[in-house]
C-alpha cells in the first residue's frame, strides 16, 4: 500500500541551527501539508502546498519556516534558525483531492525534532 | 476551516466492550473524517462519512452523522487492546482545504 515516508525519524540540533525535514508523499497525490505536534498537545496545521506554491499557512508558519518541492517526489520543511520551542513531532501529509475530492489525508510517521 | 470537539476526553474500557466517542462541530461540512493516533505515531485515516450520509460501517467501526445537530459519533465494537489510541474527528469542507484537529478522545482498552 502506498505510504508517506519521512526522514529523519529523529533529529537533535542546537538552537540557531538550520534543519531540513524531508517527506516523500504518495506519488499521485497533489496536495501536501505539514503539521506539528508538541509533546502532549494537539496536532497543529502549519502549511499546505499545491502546484509548487503555498496554499495556506498558519500563524505558526513564520519567516523562519519554508517549504519546497525540489523535485517530483520530495517535499521539504526547512526551519532556518531553530528555537527551543520548535521541539516537536513534525508530520507530513498528502491527499489526492481535487476541487470536489474528499480531502482524506495520508500521514507519515513523523520526524521528531529536539532542539537543545 | 474548523476543528471538531471530541467527547469524552478520555475513555477507559475492558477488552470486548464497545467504545463510543462523540464529535461536535460548528459550521457546514462536505464530509467528516475520523483519525486514530497511536502514541508517538502518525495519524491514520479510519473512515469518512459524507454530509449526505447518516451512517457508515467499516469492519468494527460504525460512524453516524447528524448534520442538523452538527454532531458525529464513532463506535468501536468488541474493542481490543490494540485499539488503545487517541481518536480525532475532522470536519472537512472537502477538496484540498486543510483539516484541523482538536484534542481528541484518548481511549484505553484494558486487556
Amino acid at each position: 500500500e502506498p505510504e508517506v515516508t519521512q526522514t529523519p525519524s529523529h533529529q537533535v540540533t542546537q538552537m540557531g541551527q538550520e534543519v531540513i525535514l524531508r517527506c516523500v508523499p504518495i506519488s499521485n497525490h497533489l496536495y501536501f501539508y505539514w503539521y506539528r505536534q508538541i509533546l502532549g498537545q494537539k496536532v497543529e496545521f502549519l502549511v499546505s502546498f499545491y502546484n509548487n506554491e503555498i496554499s495556506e499557512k498558519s500563524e505558526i508558519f513564520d519567516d523562519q519556516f519554508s517549504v519546497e518541492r525540489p523535485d517530483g517526489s520530495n517535499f521539504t520543511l526547512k526551519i532556518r534558525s531553530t528555537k527551543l520551542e520548535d521541539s516537536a513531532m513534525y508530520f507530513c501529509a498528502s491527499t489526492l483531492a481535487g476541487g470536489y475530492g474528499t480531502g482524506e489525508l495520508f500521514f507519515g510517521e513523523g520526524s521528531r525534532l529536539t532542539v537543545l | 476551516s474548523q476543528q471538531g470537539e471530541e467527547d469524552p476526553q478520555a475513555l477507559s474500557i475492558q477488552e470486548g466492550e464497545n467504545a463510543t466517542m462523540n464529535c461536535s462541530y460548528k459550521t457546514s461540512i462536505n464530509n467528516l473524517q475520523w483519525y486514530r493516533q497511536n502514541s508517538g505515531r502518525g495519524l491514520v485515516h479510519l473512515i469518512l462519512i459524507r454530509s449526505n450520509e447518516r451512517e457508515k460501517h467499516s469492519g468494527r467501526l460504525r460512524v453516524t452523522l447528524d448534520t442538523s445537530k452538527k454532531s458525529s459519533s464513532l463506535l468501536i465494537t468488541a474493542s481490543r487492546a490494540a485499539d488503545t489510541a487517541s481518536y480525532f474527528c475532522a470536519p472537512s469542507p472537502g477538496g484540498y482545504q486543510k483539516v484541523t484537529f482538536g484534542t481528541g478522545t484518548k481511549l484505553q482498552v484494558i486487556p
Side-chain angles (χ1 to χ4, degrees):
Chain A
E1 186 174 321
E3 59 180 16
V4 175
T5 57
Q6 290 186 241
T7 54
S9 56
H10 189 191
Q11 180 156 356
V12 180
T13 190
Q14 295 291 323
M15 192 168 56
Q17 294 296 304
E18 176 183 284
V19 160
I20 297 176
L21 305 178
R22 292 182 168 79
C23 170
V24 180
I26 295 173
S27 61
N28 63 338
H29 283 189
L30 302 174
Y31 299 86
F32 315 112
Y33 309 81
W34 283 101
Y35 288 80
R36 80 168 186 194
Q37 186 176 34
I38 296 171
L39 188 64
Q41 299 187 23
K42 63 183 183 181
V43 176
E44 300 173 291
F45 169 78
L46 291 179
V47 65
S48 58
F49 191 87
Y50 169 69
N51 200 25
N52 281 323
E53 60 182 31
I54 291 173
S55 305
E56 188 174 359
K57 59 183 181 179
S58 71
E59 291 177 355
I60 302 168
F61 194 89
D62 62 21
D63 291 343
Q64 291 300 310
F65 291 88
S66 62
V67 289
E68 193 178 31
R69 190 155 160 83
D71 53 42
S73 59
N74 290 285
F75 178 49
T76 62
L77 174 69
K78 183 193 289 187
I79 309 175
R80 288 191 185 81
S81 178
T82 50
K83 307 184 187 85
L84 294 175
E85 54 263 37
D86 294 328
S87 294
M89 184 76 98
Y90 289 81
F91 293 106
C92 173
S94 67
T95 186
L96 176 60
Y100 297 98
T102 56
E104 172 189 348
L105 290 175
F106 292 80
F107 281 83
E109 287 292 350
S111 292
R112 181 172 297 284
L113 176 64
T114 301
V115 182
L116 302 177
Chain B
S1 70
Q2 60 174 315
Q3 67 185 41
E5 289 184 19
E6 297 89 355
D7 177 70
Q9 290 187 333
L11 180 60
S12 183
I13 60 173
Q14 296 289 328
E15 199 165 32
E17 294 180 338
N18 296 342
T20 300
M21 289 158 261
N22 301 298
C23 168
S24 60
Y25 58 93
K26 290 189 166 59
T27 63
S28 62
I29 58 172
N30 172 280
N31 64 78
L32 188 139
Q33 304 169 32
W34 285 90
Y35 290 82
R36 181 189 74 223
Q37 184 182 32
N38 291 85
S39 182
R41 306 291 296 275
L43 281 79
V44 174
H45 183 272
L46 294 176
I47 193 167
L48 179 150
I49 186 164
R50 296 177 189 271
S51 59
N52 61 353
E53 297 176 311
R54 291 296 167 258
E55 188 170 313
K56 196 162 184 181
H57 297 253
S58 176
R60 294 184 297 112
L61 304 180
R62 171 177 168 254
V63 169
T64 62
L65 179 65
D66 186 335
T67 52
S68 66
K69 294 181 180 176
K70 293 186 170 53
S71 66
S72 174
S73 67
L74 172 68
L75 169 68
I76 304 174
T77 59
S79 62
R80 304 167 182 167
D83 295 327
T84 294
S86 291
Y87 291 81
F88 302 88
C89 70
S92 173
Y96 61 85
Q97 295 186 58
K98 71 175 190 286
V99 294
T100 54
F101 299 94
T103 52
T105 292
K106 194 166 186 175
L107 173 66
Q108 181 186 27
V109 181
I110 302 166

